[in-house]
Amino acid sequence: QVQLQESGGGSVQSGGSLKLSCAASGDTRCMAWFRQAPGKEREGIADTDSQGLTTYTNSVKGRFTIARDNGKGTLYLQMNSLNPEDTGMYFCALKRYCWSGYNYWGQGTQVTVSS
């Protein structure tokens, strides 16, 4: 019913910026961005709740900004001051209901940051 499609990943040098987009079809509720580095578990890095309030993991605070365009059904992640430890596969996730766990996932988009 709900489909998520990430885009905007790529390769940049340290200090560069990227803007990720997640196009969502169907009903959209609470959404988040996750990432997974090689050999590591997937971690949540930013999310937005039903009121539009945003939360960030400490490692990206001040550098990443999550935003949601409800009219377009699109979630964004603006990433600035990127460093090599930001390298990984980035995933968009959606909760069908905000009290549930994340049960819809995109295919992921690769972000590579070189020093």
Side-chain angles (χ1 to χ4, degrees):
Q1 294 179 274
V2 176
Q3 296 181 331
L4 304 176
Q5 180 67 57
E6 301 98 333
S7 62
S11 298
V12 298
Q13 294 185 356
S14 182
S17 299
L18 284 173
K19 185 177 182 179
L20 306 183
S21 298
C22 174
S25 62
D27 292 339
T28 58
R29 298 292 186 268
C30 297
M31 303 182 73
W33 286 98
F34 288 74
R35 70 182 179 188
Q36 185 171 22
K40 298 181 179 180
E41 295 186 2
R42 190 176 302 178
E43 65 171 341
I45 56 174
D47 63 67
T48 180
D49 66 13
S50 61
Q51 296 180 289
L53 299 178
T54 57
T55 304
Y56 302 90
T57 191
N58 287 336
S59 64
V60 308
K61 287 182 179 178
R63 299 188 299 121
F64 291 10
T65 302
I66 187 172
R68 183 180 180 183
D69 186 330
N70 292 327
K72 295 175 60 178
T74 303
L75 184 72
Y76 301 96
L77 183 67
Q78 178 65 52
M79 305 186 294
N80 299 322
S81 301
L82 288 164
N83 55 67
E85 67 181 3
D86 293 316
T87 293
M89 186 71 72
Y90 284 67
F91 299 88
C92 176
L94 168 70
K95 294 181 177 181
R96 179 63 179 86
Y97 304 103
C98 288
W99 58 86
S100 71
Y102 290 100
N103 48 5
Y104 297 99
W105 298 82
Q107 83 290 345
T109 185
Q110 179 67 37
V111 172
T112 302
V113 185
S114 60
S115 60

